[in-house]
């Protein structure tokens, strides 16, 4: 079991460039989440998904899009990166019960 | 947006000290509370999942209690060790919600 993996681990973008972050889980979890972590702000939810083919907005969705075409993958896209999107991005997944979330290792993104 | 507060924001203790911190959450529509341990440069890992009023959970030197009627949970660490240094996060899940709401965490530093 690899658990939750994220690709890439690090990335530097220029303002206006686009990229996609991939989250993959092999635990057959229904729910998947994308968070960003900024100093003093804790974890803020960007988007989430409660099952294959479904997505919903979280607390800070602007500037991001997501897709969940396969149950095991949750993609986070930045269409036109901005310096304000410089952050560490964490993906997480969990079962449909009250069980805890399992987090990926994070992706450190810098937008210049 | 639900209000989940953690206090104190940061804590410095000496090795061997016992310590505790608080997570406050809405006292209505409770479903579950999670505690996570988040070491620097790593991803959060679940410590406890708490679901019933009066729940007490223990893992080694770390324990947690839950009071859903008044909306708080305490995390205790007995005989702190330097390896306990981390940020401790709590996450509240309301009934019918797919989304855990995280507090901003308590940063614990244990000095040798």
């Amino acid at each position: 079991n690899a658990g939750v993996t994220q690709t890439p681990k690090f990335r530097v973008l220029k303002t206006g460039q686009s990229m996609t972050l991939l989250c993959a889980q092999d635990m057959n979890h229904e729910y998947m989440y994308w968070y960003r972590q900024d100093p003093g702000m804790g974890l803020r939810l960007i988007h989430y998904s409660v099952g294959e083919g479904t997505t919903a907005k979280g607390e800070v969705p602007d500037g991001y899009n997501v897709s969940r075409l396969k149950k095991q993958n949750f993609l986070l896209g930045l269409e036109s990166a901005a310096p304000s999107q410089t952050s560490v991005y964490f993906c997480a997944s969990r079962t449909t019960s009250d069980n805890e979330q399992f987090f990926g290792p994070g992706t450190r993104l810098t937008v210049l | 947006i639900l209000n989940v507060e953690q206090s104190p924001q940061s804590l410095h203790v000496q090795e061997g000290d016992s310590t505790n911190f608080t997570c406050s959450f809405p006292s209505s529509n409770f479903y579950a509370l999670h505690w996570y341990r988040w070491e620097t440069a790593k991803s959060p890992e679940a410590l406890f999942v708490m679901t019933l009023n009066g729940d007490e959970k223990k893992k080694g030197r770390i324990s947690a209690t839950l009071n859903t009627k008044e909306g708080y949970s305490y995390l205790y660490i007995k005989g702190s060790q330097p390896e306990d240094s981390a940020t401790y996060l709590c996450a509240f899940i309301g009934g019918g919600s797919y989304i855990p709401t995280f507090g901003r965490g308590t940063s614990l530093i244990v000095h040798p």
Side-chain angles (χ1 to χ4, degrees), chain A residues 31 33 35 37 40-43 45 48 50 59 90 94 97-101 103-105, chain B residues 1 31-32 34 36 38 42-46 49 51 89 93 97-100 102-104:
Chain A
Y31 297 177
Y33 306 82
Y35 294 93
Q37 181 222 353
M41 302 296 290
L43 286 170
L45 182 65
Y48 66 100
V50 301
E59 181 186 352
F90 285 96
R94 70 183 182 112
S97 68
D98 56 5
N99 285 346
E100 71 271 27
Q101 291 182 306
F103 285 83
Chain B
I1 296 176
Y31 186 66
H34 300 166
Y36 294 85
W38 193 2
K42 295 188 177 179
S43 50
E45 291 185 348
V49 173
T51 56
L89 291 173
I93 304 174
S97 173
Y98 304 112
I99 306 172
F102 283 86
R104 294 190 178 186

Side-chain angles (χ1 to χ4, degrees), chain A residues 50-65:
Chain A
V50 301
E52 181 179 319
T54 72
T55 63
K57 294 180 180 180
E59 181 186 352
V60 289
D62 293 343
Y64 305 95
N65 56 74

